[in-house]
Amino acid sequence: MNSDGQDEQRVVWAVVGTDIGPLLLAATPDGLVNVVFHATDAVRDKALERLAARLGTQPVEAPGSPLLAESIRQVTAYFAGERRDFELPLDWSLISGFNRQVLRELAAGVPYGGVVGYGDLARRVGQPGAAQAVGVAMGSNPLPVVVPCHRVVESDGGIGGFGGGLETKRRLLALEGVLPEPLF
């Protein structure tokens, strides 16, 4: 317990409405730990079960928690077009090794409105033949939107895959000005 009587291993969560649907945001005292797309009740419950198993503590719904306040503010500002960069403490404990290395490079090196190819990102982390492994890293990203895996595209100009669905990827890239806004 800390001086406020709070469990140091606490995981708090809230669901935030966005232009791409509800996002579940979860945080620990170390920072934002998870962002989950399409956070309907069923998706949310499954994500919370996974978090509890991975982090060893039951997540607590706490939309007013100081651990989430800045994440909620910045995500809301991003979708309102008022923020281009996230400046949040991140808890990387749900990912390790090569995947963490790739995601950290992505977060630091691919700015708002930019894109990078899977192979280019592999080269940036010193693994030039690992484009497919970069794709796996993108699929295992526990912090989508904030760690912008939507900015990773195919070298031939294709949009590539996306755990949140291709329509979600298109909408995020349109928000950032990379793609035109959909007509309908």
Side-chain angles (χ1 to χ4, degrees):
M1 297 279 198
N2 66 20
S3 60
D4 297 327
Q6 299 291 317
D7 183 351
E8 291 294 333
Q9 298 303 311
R10 187 166 188 210
V11 179
V12 295
W13 65 273
V15 174
V16 176
T18 73
D19 292 346
I20 59 167
L23 292 179
L24 179 140
L25 304 180
T28 69
D30 291 332
L32 187 66
V33 71
N34 203 200
V35 176
V36 179
F37 290 114
H38 315 300
T40 60
D41 291 349
V43 169
R44 181 199 67 214
D45 292 348
K46 190 172 185 175
L48 294 172
E49 286 175 23
R50 277 194 314 270
L51 272 174
R54 296 281 310 277
L55 298 176
T57 186
Q58 190 63 44
V60 175
E61 184 175 14
S65 170
L67 296 178
L68 285 169
E70 188 60 17
S71 295
I72 291 170
R73 189 185 73 70
Q74 288 190 29
V75 164
T76 301
Y78 170 81
F79 282 101
E82 300 165 357
R83 174 169 279 282
R84 293 175 165 237
D85 301 306
F86 291 98
E87 297 170 5
L88 296 169
L90 301 177
D91 179 337
W92 294 93
S93 63
L94 294 178
I95 197 148
S96 61
F98 176 79
N99 292 354
R100 183 187 288 188
Q101 180 184 12
V102 168
L103 291 171
R104 283 181 177 264
E105 173 59 31
L106 173 64
V110 182
Y112 182 97
V115 293
V116 65
Y118 294 93
D120 292 335
L121 194 51
R123 280 188 285 284
R124 288 186 187 192
V125 297
Q127 300 290 327
Q132 286 185 322
V134 167
V136 171
M138 296 305 105
S140 64
N141 181 4
L143 296 161
V145 179
V146 175
V147 176
C149 52
H150 60 277
R151 296 179 189 154
V152 182
V153 297
E154 295 174 346
S155 60
D156 65 3
I159 195 168
F162 194 62
L166 291 181
E167 180 58 27
T168 300
K169 186 171 187 171
R170 284 186 191 96
R171 292 185 73 188
L172 289 167
L173 291 172
L175 172 71
E176 295 187 8
V178 175
L179 293 176
E181 289 288 339
L183 296 175
F184 48 89

